């Protein structure tokens, strides 16, 4: 079933379902449904998947967020149905489960028309052209008339994609308290302002957001803008991630495109604080390039560009696995199309109250041996991680 779980995660996180139908019930009883369908719906400005359960005499509904949708779809295939047909904007998938529980996946070009989903796709954007958005205007992305500036269209898309990835984190954030968020290496803070706008002005959360960066001029620019926009609970500070010791607990830690091992420092802080949510998009990863050795991989590593890409993928794999070892349910997602930036991998992690990490620890140790590496992240995490590995 692993291939099915991966496919379902990809469909939910990266594609848009037009319709999905689960059918071919394995064991019929009076209490079970005969068929389940799924479509996308918007409820109170939030995207959900609506599951329709067809019983003999009635129909029941459940509206689920992305993570719960993944879990429910996997359960439907593991427990109830022999087949699922999933039509997305991009492809048609058919999943067939054998009597022994083995899954076969067939993929074809999409047969459902784009128009059928365009209504949903339009609503997918959290920020829309034509809706005057002060922070976008101040940052020069939107004109005072609400038009997206041509040269800033990619940035606008990136911000929307970021907010889409943030919106999946909402169920992990407690609306009844002030959510403390740190954005490490915030830079000019397009994404930090977008986060504030989304959580406070659109979703009604109480937040305390701090953007941290090494650069004095950037911090001055962002602080002035936060003041101008009256974003009272957003502040910026100059400093190094490693030396940031202001808090003992933080709910959400963000580190987008912070350079090289700065990402590891950010992850270490997040885990020490017991952050519920972590979002990291690593950048310019030089650490493993000189360190990795693997005789079997010479046919790949003898080419500079391939070795460089491989080294970054290995670094991200190490980070994602370390987060799992530290008790986080971790996803690796595409942040933005490759055509816009090569730095497109996002590590998204949610604190898991009941993690089972033994298998991951063993796999991680073997992986390190195979590549003969001792990753910096272990140094950044210190004893907390070493204890788990021993
Ligand atoms: C490429 S910019 C990314 C800005 C923003 N997060 C984004 O994704 O649009 C990276 C920023 O990280 C900051 N940075 C790098 N290492 C850092 C560290 N150790 N502590 C604080 N800031 C750091 C840099 O100064 C720079 O402004």
């Amino acid at each position: 079933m692993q291939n099915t779980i991966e496919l379902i995660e990809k469909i939910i996180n990266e594609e848009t379902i037009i319709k999905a139908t689960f059918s071919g019930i394995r064991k019929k009883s009076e209490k079970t449904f005969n068929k389940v369908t799924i479509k996308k719906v918007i409820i109170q400005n939030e995207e959900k998947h609506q599951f329709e359960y067809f019983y003999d005499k009635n129909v029941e509904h459940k509206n689920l967020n992305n993570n719960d949708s993944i879990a429910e779809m996997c359960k439907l295939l593991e427990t109830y149905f022999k087949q699922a047909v999933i039509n997305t904007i991009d492809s048609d998938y058919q999943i067939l489960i054998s009597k022994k529980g083995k899954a076969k996946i067939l993929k074809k070009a999409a047969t459902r028309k784009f128009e059928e989903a365009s209504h949903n796709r339009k609503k997918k954007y959290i920020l829309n052209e034509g809706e005057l958005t002060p922070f976008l205007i101040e940052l020069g992305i939107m004109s005072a008339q609400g038009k997206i500036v041509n040269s800033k269209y990619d940035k606008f898309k990136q911000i929307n994609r970021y907010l889409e990835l943030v919106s999946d984190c909402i169920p992990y954030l407690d609306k009844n308290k002030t959510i403390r968020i740190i954005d490490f290496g915030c830079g000019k803070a397009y994404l930090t302002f977008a986060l504030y706008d989304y959580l406070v002005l659109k979703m009604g959360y109480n937040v305390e957001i701090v953007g941290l960066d090494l650069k004095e001029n950037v911090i001055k620019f962002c602080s002035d803008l936060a003041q101008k926009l009256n974003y009272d609970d957003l502040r910026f500070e100059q400093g190094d991630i490693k030396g940031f010791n202001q808090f003992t607990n933080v709910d959400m830690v963000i580190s987008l495109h912070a350079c090289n091992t700065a990402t590891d420092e950010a992850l270490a802080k997040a885990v020490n604080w017991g952050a519920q949510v972590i979002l990291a998009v690593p950048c310019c990863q030089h650490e493993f390039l000189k360190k990795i050795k693997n005789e079997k991989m010479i046919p790949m590593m003898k080419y500079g560009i391939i070795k460089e890409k491989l080294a970054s993928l290995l670094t991200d794999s190490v980070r994602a696995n370390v987060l799992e070892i530290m008790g986080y349910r971790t996803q690796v997602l595409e942040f933005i199309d490759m055509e816009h930036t090569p730095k497109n991998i996002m590590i998204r992690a949610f604190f898991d109250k009941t993690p089972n990490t033994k298998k991951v620890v063993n796999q991680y140790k073997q992986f390190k041996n195979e590549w003969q590496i001792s990753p910096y992240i272990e140094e950044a995490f210190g004893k907390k991680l070493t204890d788990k590995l021993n």
Side-chain angles (χ1 to χ4, degrees):
M1 285 294 283
Q2 188 55 32
N3 56 348
T4 313
I5 297 169
E6 280 165 15
L7 175 67
I8 288 173
E9 282 182 345
K10 180 175 171 296
I11 289 174
I12 295 290
N13 290 322
E14 296 168 25
E15 300 188 30
T16 299
I17 291 184
I18 301 172
K19 189 173 180 191
T21 306
F22 291 72
S23 61
I25 193 85
R26 291 200 194 144
K27 247 194 216 152
K28 176 77 188 120
S29 85
E30 268 177 32
K31 285 191 193 139
T32 47
F33 30 75
N34 305 308
K35 184 176 88 166
V36 176
T37 62
I38 307 172
K39 64 179 178 187
K40 275 216 149 176
V41 288
I42 308 285
I43 295 172
Q44 292 176 339
N45 275 334
E46 273 190 62
E47 266 192 18
K48 302 264 178 185
H49 291 98
Q50 185 167 81
F51 286 66
E52 252 185 324
Y53 300 81
F54 293 82
Y55 293 84
D56 284 344
K57 293 191 181 131
N58 63 320
V59 178
E60 284 179 7
H61 294 97
K62 262 196 234 173
N63 298 317
L64 302 181
N65 65 28
N66 279 1
N67 289 323
D68 292 342
S69 298
I70 293 169
E72 181 66 3
M73 287 168 80
C74 292
K75 187 170 139 202
L76 288 174
L77 281 173
E78 271 165 12
T79 317
Y80 296 105
F81 291 110
K82 287 187 243 171
Q83 100 155 348
V85 175
I86 306 173
N87 304 112
T88 73
I89 290 176
D90 308 300
S91 308
D92 286 356
Y93 299 94
Q94 189 180 15
I95 305 172
L96 300 161
I97 310 289
S98 73
K99 275 192 188 145
K100 288 186 181 155
K102 269 195 121 185
K104 184 172 168 188
I105 296 169
L106 305 169
K107 180 180 174 187
K108 284 194 301 184
T111 52
R112 296 239 172 194
K113 285 211 185 85
F114 174 74
E115 286 76 28
E116 288 181 61
S118 64
H119 180 63
N120 281 339
R121 175 165 268 206
K122 217 171 178 174
K123 292 203 169 174
K124 226 178 141 94
Y125 290 117
I126 289 170
L127 299 170
N128 291 293
E129 184 157 17
E131 285 170 21
L132 290 182
T133 309
F135 87 89
L136 288 177
I137 297 174
E138 291 296 336
L139 288 168
I141 295 171
M142 184 179 265
S143 73
Q145 290 70 39
K147 182 155 177 11
I148 299 303
V149 174
N150 277 346
S151 60
K152 299 286 178 180
Y153 211 81
D154 285 349
K155 198 82 204 161
F156 176 68
K157 270 179 79 177
Q158 187 198 41
I159 295 173
N160 257 318
R161 170 69 178 146
Y162 172 62
L163 293 179
E164 201 180 299
L165 290 161
V166 168
S167 69
D168 297 335
C169 306
I170 290 291
Y172 295 85
L173 303 174
D174 184 353
K175 205 167 183 177
N176 300 314
K177 59 172 235 178
T178 300
I179 310 284
R180 184 180 282 156
I181 302 173
I182 309 282
D183 191 341
F184 280 136
C186 60
K188 230 177 151 190
Y190 292 76
L191 300 171
T192 330
F193 283 105
L195 181 73
Y196 188 93
D197 177 86
Y198 174 64
L199 288 179
V200 177
L201 306 179
K202 292 202 166 45
M203 301 300 294
Y205 275 80
N206 285 320
V207 299
E208 174 188 4
I209 302 184
V210 179
L212 186 90
D213 204 284
L214 289 169
K215 294 181 192 147
E216 189 183 349
N217 59 338
V218 153
I219 293 302
K220 162 107 180 63
F221 168 86
C222 296
S223 302
D224 290 348
L225 184 53
Q227 206 175 7
K228 188 169 179 192
L229 289 163
N230 290 326
Y231 284 7
D232 296 336
D233 300 308
L234 171 62
R235 65 191 160 84
F236 292 90
E237 291 191 17
Q238 189 189 355
D240 184 357
I241 299 169
K242 200 171 177 179
F244 185 82
N245 290 318
Q246 222 174 85
F247 301 122
T248 48
N249 71 299
V250 172
D251 300 292
M252 183 170 179
V253 172
I254 295 165
S255 167
L256 306 168
H257 308 116
C259 316
N260 203 15
T261 50
T263 302
D264 299 312
E265 303 293 356
L267 297 180
K269 292 273 173 202
V271 170
N272 274 328
W273 283 323
Q276 297 298 309
V277 179
I278 304 173
L279 300 180
V281 177
C283 177
C284 46
Q285 328 203 26
H286 309 303
E287 190 204 346
F288 282 0
L289 194 58
K290 291 208 176 90
K291 289 187 182 172
I292 45 173
K293 289 195 193 100
N294 189 329
E295 290 293 313
K296 290 180 216 151
M297 293 293 167
I298 287 173
M300 280 180 93
M301 299 202 318
K302 66 183 174 184
Y303 303 110
I305 296 175
I306 295 182
K307 186 175 178 193
E308 207 173 301
K309 288 186 188 228
L310 183 67
S312 342
L313 290 173
L314 291 176
T315 318
D316 285 339
S317 310
V318 162
R319 287 171 176 151
N321 277 276
V322 163
L323 286 176
E324 281 193 44
I325 290 168
M326 297 310 292
Y328 282 78
R329 204 167 61 70
T330 306
Q331 304 166 327
V332 176
L333 307 161
E334 193 164 58
F335 180 36
I336 189 95
D337 292 349
M338 274 300 225
E339 66 183 273
H340 303 302
T341 168
K343 300 159 196 163
N344 74 333
I345 281 188
M346 172 179 274
I347 299 174
R348 187 167 69 177
F350 304 104
F351 187 66
D352 188 348
K353 287 194 189 92
T354 53
N356 182 1
T357 57
K358 207 170 156 205
K359 192 165 136 197
V360 190
V361 168
N362 289 334
Q363 289 169 340
Y364 173 76
K365 286 195 208 160
Q366 277 175 19
F367 183 76
K368 275 200 320 169
N369 271 346
E370 189 71 32
W371 289 98
Q372 301 177 42
I373 42 173
S374 49
Y376 175 73
I377 196 167
E378 290 188 16
E379 200 179 304
F381 275 59
K383 190 169 168 351
K384 258 194 167 178
L385 177 59
T386 326
D387 285 351
K388 299 249 179 206
L389 295 177
N390 291 327

